[in-house]
Amino acid sequence: MSTYTIPVGPLHVALEEPMYFKVEVSGETVVSVDITAGHVHRGVEYLLSKRTIFQNITLTERICSLCSNSHPEAYCMAIEQIAGVVVSPRGEYLRAVADEIKRIASHLFNVGIMAHLIGFESLFMHAMEIREIMQDVKETVFGNRMDIGANCIGGVRYDLDDDQRSWLLGQLDRLEPQIDELVGIYTTNRSILNRTQGIGVLSPAEAIEYAVAGPVARASGVAYDVRVKSPYTAYDKLTVEVPTRTAGDVWSRAMIRLSEVKISIGLLRRLIEDLPDGPTAPAERPEIPAGEAIAKCEAPRGELIYYVRTNGTNKPERVKWRVPSFMNWDALCTMLKGARISDIALIVNSIDPCISCTER
Amino acid sequence: MTELPVDLEARLTAAAPAGLRLIQNTDAKGVTVLWCELADKNDLLGVAQEIKAVKGRLMTISVFQPTPPESDDDEEEDGDEKSDDGEAVPPASLGGIAIDGKSYELAYHFDLDGATLTIQVFLAADAAEVISLTPLFRNADWCERDYMENYSIHVIGHPDPRRLFLDPSIEPMALERLIPLSTLVNAASTKALWEKIISHQSDTPS
């Protein structure tokens, strides 16, 4: 049977950002996929080497919107290693609080968009309305709904007083039953199950071969979470549950994200209740000597790694990072093989694509 | 926390006959970071095979051109003091590649179940060739394409050496060239903001 090639993207209704797939199809079935990337390449790595070490905290936050807290966090952790700065216990707990708040909002966005792609608009709006609780939390605590500016070198730039802590716990109490309801719908609704189960499969062996990260890896049986494997900030003081599934399909990835939302709510309660006293950040900016360091953190999409090299000047010599989506794109070619044309958007969304992050 | 393979150092040393320098640090949270400089880039494949054998995972590859220690052109830097504390870059790498601002340093970051092992390889500017790790690590494909378009390094045996993020019409070696900031940020704005500021200035008595 003869095949022909159809374009998906670069501007596509199902993608918030531009990515161009050349999809070779035979009838209704995908035979192969070629990805042409680079539509939002901005040269941020180059720009980072032209700004000062401290200016770059603001710049790294703007690499991506949904994991905007993870970038400056990993960058600050790398600089702290070079400068020998130790973050105070309160600073570490507050960093983890910011991390988990962003994780919940990011995961809910992705599962919401999945409902939208299925055509289940009422569920999409319901999921986004639930997510709005976390958006309000961000706006109230940090003053902004996406770029929360929580991190600085040596700690955090925000603090929680007793009123804010009890208000935050109240918001989590409001959120949790709604998440339970959402999990129920995603577990039982026929429209969801029919459209998402058994499609976009990545086997456990393929997940290891492609070195995928985050919920994509965990939905294919790879129990890897940076918070557990190489703990940072306050995660060495917490027990982080790592949910895994083995089916490796679109539905499993969504369910992993929903499970992680539940786990994050639990972690947030512990962090807020056990918040130690003390300073949130050092009073003065440290001197940054020459050196190199690696820092990793678990962004909403998985392992984020930063490599920073300094030479004793006020500008970093090299900053390189790799986002979890970077490997997930290549794995997408395997997930899409044999899929129906109508499922392409759903499968692409299931890796929780982050294009600005990947192309930098 | 993370259990490193007990024979890791022996494996790496055996795989790098030209020599290596291994440093290991464990932080207060029990996270181990290993740095391993190779004297000869030709040992890279053997070392990578050993890492693959102990179930290592390639995380990413960082490439850059280290600046020479003393000749910092526009920064007011006291180079003499820095070179004494042992942290500063030596004038030549392990293996004798001169750090002249044009030579390359490649850092391959591997994950060993939570620990990070970085293998550092040095390339002279006139012999900027390195073997591809794609036969061992599937995800080296994108990592190598990523640095190939930014530096003039030839990767031997890459199965698909196309551009990754930069359009083929863009000049190569993007990170080796000076790109003016206005070009980089594609600076374009209207005069509206400027005119607003000027009109406000004339309103306020000076």
Side-chain angles (χ1 to χ4, degrees):
Chain A
M1 196 172 168
S2 67
T3 63
Y4 58 99
T5 303
I6 56 165
V8 175
L11 298 169
H12 189 267
V13 282
L15 297 168
E16 299 108 57
E17 293 177 273
M19 191 58 117
Y20 180 22
F21 302 92
K22 287 178 201 149
V23 185
E24 192 190 356
V25 293
S26 169
E28 275 287 301
T29 310
V30 176
V31 178
S32 71
V33 182
D34 186 26
I35 297 177
T36 303
H39 300 89
V40 283
H41 174 75
R42 294 146 294 162
V44 193
E45 263 177 34
Y46 186 94
L47 195 54
L48 248 80
S49 64
K50 303 293 166 206
R51 304 244 163 127
T52 70
I53 286 165
F54 296 95
Q55 286 174 330
N56 280 333
I57 302 169
T58 312
L59 185 55
T60 49
E61 182 139 14
R62 277 142 187 86
I63 292 164
C64 168
S65 61
L66 284 163
C67 31
S68 61
N69 187 57
S70 304
H71 282 275
E73 185 182 22
Y75 172 76
C76 288
M77 288 195 301
I79 298 289
E80 284 154 11
Q81 279 182 49
I82 292 171
V85 174
V86 178
V87 180
S88 70
R90 192 179 178 89
E92 289 198 325
Y93 269 67
L94 289 171
R95 271 196 184 168
V97 167
D99 234 11
E100 297 306 322
I101 289 174
K102 285 291 289 187
R103 190 183 323 279
I104 294 174
S106 175
H107 281 353
L108 286 176
F109 183 74
N110 181 258
V111 294
I113 296 288
M114 187 181 102
H116 167 64
L117 293 176
I118 290 167
F120 199 159
E121 294 304 325
S122 56
L123 181 61
F124 162 61
M125 284 181 231
H126 186 51
M128 293 302 270
E129 197 186 350
I130 297 172
R131 176 178 182 257
E132 201 57 25
I133 297 174
M134 288 327 269
Q135 296 299 93
D136 283 346
V137 162
K138 283 189 271 178
E139 191 170 355
T140 311
V141 175
F142 305 100
N144 207 334
R145 288 162 59 92
M146 290 311 283
D147 289 350
I148 58 177
N151 287 284
C152 65
I153 289 165
V156 286
R157 294 178 57 239
Y158 79 104
D159 203 357
L160 293 175
D161 61 26
D162 289 344
D163 287 346
Q164 283 172 313
R165 281 161 72 181
S166 58
W167 179 80
L168 247 171
L169 290 171
Q171 294 302 303
L172 294 176
D173 292 341
R174 235 181 98 207
L175 179 69
E176 194 167 28
Q178 300 195 48
I179 298 295
D180 289 335
E181 189 198 348
L182 207 58
V183 171
I185 297 170
Y186 278 79
T187 316
T188 55
N189 185 281
R190 297 309 310 169
S191 306
I192 300 269
L193 299 179
N194 287 342
R195 282 299 307 278
T196 60
Q197 281 188 329
I199 66 160
V201 175
L202 190 73
S203 71
E206 285 164 340
I208 292 168
E209 189 198 342
Y210 281 97
V212 292
V216 175
R218 293 192 279 273
S220 295
V222 180
Y224 194 101
D225 188 314
V226 181
R227 291 174 292 174
V228 176
K229 294 283 184 183
S230 18
Y232 56 98
T233 67
Y235 293 115
D236 58 328
K237 295 171 190 75
L238 299 167
T239 311
V240 182
E241 193 193 326
V242 182
T244 56
R245 284 175 182 263
T246 48
D249 56 3
V250 169
W251 183 74
S252 301
R253 283 173 215 131
M255 293 315 287
I256 289 282
R257 291 191 183 102
L258 285 170
S259 306
E260 289 185 7
V261 168
K262 280 279 287 181
I263 293 164
S264 290
I265 293 172
L267 292 175
L268 275 172
R269 285 206 181 103
R270 277 286 310 280
L271 289 163
I272 296 164
E273 279 161 7
D274 299 349
L275 191 65
D277 291 329
T280 54
E284 280 181 23
R285 281 182 172 182
E287 285 283 319
I288 315 293
E292 60 185 340
I294 280 176
K296 292 188 290 181
C297 70
E298 183 75 16
R301 286 157 192 74
E303 175 193 77
L304 171 70
I305 166 170
Y306 261 72
Y307 169 77
V308 179
R309 173 83 159 235
T310 56
N311 55 9
T313 66
N314 64 350
K315 290 175 190 163
E317 191 166 16
R318 182 78 165 101
V319 183
K320 159 87 183 167
W321 60 94
R322 196 235 56 227
V323 298
S325 298
F326 194 84
M327 298 83 68
N328 294 353
W329 287 109
D330 205 15
L332 202 53
C333 297
T334 296
M335 295 178 200
L336 285 169
K337 214 165 274 176
R340 285 170 301 176
I341 292 175
S342 53
D343 291 336
I344 291 175
L346 256 176
I347 296 172
V348 172
N349 179 67
S350 77
I351 68 163
D352 204 354
C354 190
I355 301 173
S356 295
C357 257
T358 311
E359 302 183 349
R360 308 183 296 278
Chain B
M1 189 75 25
T2 310
E3 297 263 329
L4 284 173
V6 278
D7 58 345
L8 182 69
E9 188 170 351
R11 276 169 175 269
L12 295 177
T13 311
L20 55 76
R21 181 158 50 200
L22 186 69
I23 300 168
Q24 181 173 340
N25 292 310
T26 303
D27 72 7
K29 295 182 198 297
V31 180
T32 302
V33 178
L34 300 111
W35 301 89
C36 176
E37 293 175 34
L38 297 185
D40 187 350
K41 64 175 182 179
N42 295 319
D43 291 341
L44 175 66
L45 195 65
V47 167
Q49 270 161 350
E50 291 302 322
I51 295 168
K52 174 97 175 169
V54 296
K55 294 200 164 65
R57 169 173 61 90
L58 178 66
M59 291 194 286
T60 191
I61 307 170
S62 306
V63 178
F64 77 111
Q65 294 174 295
T67 46
E70 57 275 302
S71 63
D72 279 302
D73 14 40
D74 48 15
E75 306 293 339
E76 281 169 41
E77 162 80 12
D78 195 352
D80 300 332
E81 265 182 35
K82 294 281 175 194
S83 54
D84 286 332
D85 60 21
E87 286 287 317
V89 195
S93 73
L94 183 71
I97 306 275
I99 296 172
D100 52 5
K102 292 200 165 66
S103 65
Y104 302 97
E105 187 178 321
L106 276 66
Y108 294 78
H109 311 289
F110 293 95
D111 171 74
L112 296 170
D113 200 35
T116 305
L117 166 60
T118 299
I119 304 289
Q120 285 163 304
V121 177
F122 305 93
L123 308 180
D126 54 359
E129 277 194 332
V130 71
I131 194 141
S132 172
L133 289 190
T134 45
L136 293 170
F137 299 96
R138 177 76 180 76
N139 62 319
D141 185 332
W142 272 44
C143 298
E144 287 171 352
R145 282 170 69 187
D146 189 16
Y147 76 70
M148 270 192 277
E149 63 190 10
N150 286 327
Y151 297 95
S152 62
I153 298 175
H154 177 59
V155 179
I156 304 161
H158 192 283
D160 182 24
R162 285 179 300 159
R163 284 288 175 89
L164 183 61
F165 298 137
L166 298 184
D167 191 81
S169 66
I170 297 172
E171 280 178 69
M173 297 157 53
L175 287 178
E176 290 191 31
R177 288 184 280 128
L178 175 73
I179 302 170
L181 187 66
S182 55
T183 310
L184 185 67
V185 299
N186 194 16
S189 78
T190 65
K191 286 188 288 183
L193 179 65
W194 181 245
E195 280 164 1
K196 193 175 167 190
I197 292 167
I198 293 298
S199 68
H200 271 282
Q201 271 182 348
S202 54
D203 290 347
T204 47
S206 52

